[in-house]
Amino acid sequence: MPRLITSRTPGTWQELETTVRDILRECGMQAECQVTLTLPRGSANIDVLAEDRVEGIVHKIICECKNWTAAIPQHVVHAFRTVVHEAGANRGYIISKAGFQSGSIEAASSTNIELVTFEEFQDIFFERWLKAQSWALENNYGGFNTYYEPFGIPGIHRLEDETEIREYQEIHRHYLYLGLILPSFSPYRWITGGAWPTLPFDCTRIEAHGIHVPEDIKAATAYRELFQALEAHVDEGLRALRKRNPITRNQPYDSIERDD
């Protein structure tokens, strides 16, 4: 069964193109929609063009997005093969909503073209996407984890007012669910050979301790929606914690380098 990056099915060809482009961008590639390429025998309009730089070498990927209700016929594959070849692309993908005719599959065999559904396209890039996005979450909000390490709440020892201490502890408790969930999606998890959690994420043990978990996190059935929810809540939580932390509360949010 294909592993899904997103559970949202594009409703139009424009949505399919932009979603394919965004997935490739989120994998770390440069990608654009509706690019016109000059070829030896004219020009061609490309649905999605991506460039993937690996150790200084640029690999070109071309995607043809077909949101048709009918299976893709053979002549479409033949035309696409010509474009991929003349553009010097390393890989071509035809992404079809309704699958492919048997002749199309034969036309693509033993070539650098892959015929895939949108779900299969996601599965191809799933591991790379997940690693890239877990690193993005870590790099953008790594300071959040500092508040839930076993060394105590950062800066709380500097507070003398009991009301301030209690308010800081309440904010810390409110976002504890993130401190418990985020380690499951740490990029260090795959480095050490850990497995990614299945979705929807099982919050049973967390909620058993009376800790509230927002519905958008519990309801996410694909990683893109889950990461979007996590990023929004982590950003909100980090801002709230930094306002209470005496080490950081007088500093501009975006200029803070350390929270402890």
Side-chain angles (χ1 to χ4, degrees), residues 32-76:
E32 299 294 340
C33 291
Q34 293 299 311
V35 177
T36 299
L37 291 182
T38 301
L39 304 176
R41 291 181 286 181
S43 63
N45 187 60
I46 306 301
D47 289 348
V48 180
L49 174 66
E51 291 187 350
D52 186 18
R53 186 175 295 273
V54 180
E55 296 182 350
I57 300 174
V58 176
H59 299 267
K60 188 182 294 184
I61 297 172
I62 294 177
C63 300
E64 183 84 359
C65 300
K66 297 297 187 186
N67 202 48
W68 297 358
T69 56
I72 305 301
Q74 186 181 53
H75 71 85
V76 171

Side-chain angles (χ1 to χ4, degrees), residues 1 13 35 46 48 62 67 74 82-83 113 118 131 137 155 162 169 171 174-175 189 196 205-206 233 236 258:
M1 182 176 180
W13 64 266
V35 177
I46 306 301
V48 180
I62 294 177
N67 202 48
Q74 186 181 53
T82 300
V83 171
I113 294 171
F118 179 56
K131 290 174 184 178
L137 187 63
E162 289 298 323
Q169 289 173 329
I171 292 293
H174 179 77
Y175 293 101
R189 189 177 185 89
W196 298 107
R205 293 184 180 180
I206 295 174
H233 290 295
E236 175 190 285
R258 291 190 60 86

Side-chain angles (χ1 to χ4, degrees), residues 2-259:
R3 298 163 296 178
L4 296 183
I5 293 172
T6 178
S7 59
R8 296 170 184 165
T9 302
T12 65
W13 64 266
Q14 295 97 331
E15 290 177 5
L16 180 58
E17 286 185 12
T18 56
T19 304
V20 166
R21 177 201 64 191
D22 291 345
I23 286 174
L24 296 176
R25 283 181 177 179
E26 290 160 8
C27 286
M29 304 181 202
Q30 293 182 335
E32 299 294 340
C33 291
Q34 293 299 311
V35 177
T36 299
L37 291 182
T38 301
L39 304 176
R41 291 181 286 181
S43 63
N45 187 60
I46 306 301
D47 289 348
V48 180
L49 174 66
E51 291 187 350
D52 186 18
R53 186 175 295 273
V54 180
E55 296 182 350
I57 300 174
V58 176
H59 299 267
K60 188 182 294 184
I61 297 172
I62 294 177
C63 300
E64 183 84 359
C65 300
K66 297 297 187 186
N67 202 48
W68 297 358
T69 56
I72 305 301
Q74 186 181 53
H75 71 85
V76 171
V77 178
H78 284 308
F80 186 62
R81 281 174 56 180
T82 300
V83 171
V84 170
H85 173 71
E86 293 191 354
N90 301 85
R91 180 68 61 179
Y93 295 95
I94 299 181
I95 303 159
S96 168
K97 175 181 179 179
F100 302 87
Q101 295 180 6
S102 58
S104 298
I105 297 171
E106 293 173 5
S109 63
S110 302
T111 71
N112 60 343
I113 294 171
E114 293 193 46
L115 308 182
V116 294
T117 63
F118 179 56
E119 291 75 20
E120 290 167 340
F121 175 81
Q122 293 181 67
D123 187 69
I124 290 170
F125 291 96
F126 179 84
E127 286 290 339
R128 178 167 176 176
W129 184 93
L130 192 52
K131 290 174 184 178
Q133 291 307 299
S134 66
W135 275 116
L137 187 63
E138 175 71 20
N139 292 334
N140 292 334
Y141 300 106
F144 183 90
N145 298 322
T146 304
Y147 288 89
Y148 295 93
E149 292 175 347
F151 308 111
I153 305 174
I156 198 168
H157 63 283
R158 298 191 182 188
L159 298 175
E160 297 181 358
D161 184 272
E162 289 298 323
T163 299
E164 280 193 309
I165 293 172
R166 183 170 61 255
E167 290 175 346
Y168 192 10
Q169 289 173 329
E170 289 175 356
I171 292 293
H172 184 268
R173 172 74 178 180
H174 179 77
Y175 293 101
L176 177 58
Y177 69 92
L178 290 169
L180 297 172
I181 291 174
L182 285 179
S184 297
F185 302 95
S186 167
Y188 301 104
R189 189 177 185 89
W190 61 264
I191 289 176
T192 57
W196 298 107
T198 57
L199 300 185
F201 187 76
D202 185 1
C203 300
T204 306
R205 293 184 180 180
I206 295 174
E207 293 181 314
H209 294 280
I211 300 170
H212 172 71
V213 180
E215 288 301 318
D216 55 355
I217 291 177
K218 294 193 294 182
T221 57
Y223 280 91
R224 198 169 192 228
E225 288 72 49
L226 176 63
F227 271 69
Q228 288 172 346
L230 288 174
E231 287 175 1
H233 290 295
V234 170
D235 183 70
E236 175 190 285
L238 190 55
R239 289 177 186 274
L241 289 163
R242 284 177 169 174
K243 285 182 180 179
R244 297 290 179 178
N245 184 351
I247 299 172
T248 60
R249 63 186 174 189
N250 294 321
Q251 300 180 48
Y253 175 75
D254 294 329
S255 67
I256 296 171
E257 297 182 358
R258 291 190 60 86
D259 293 82

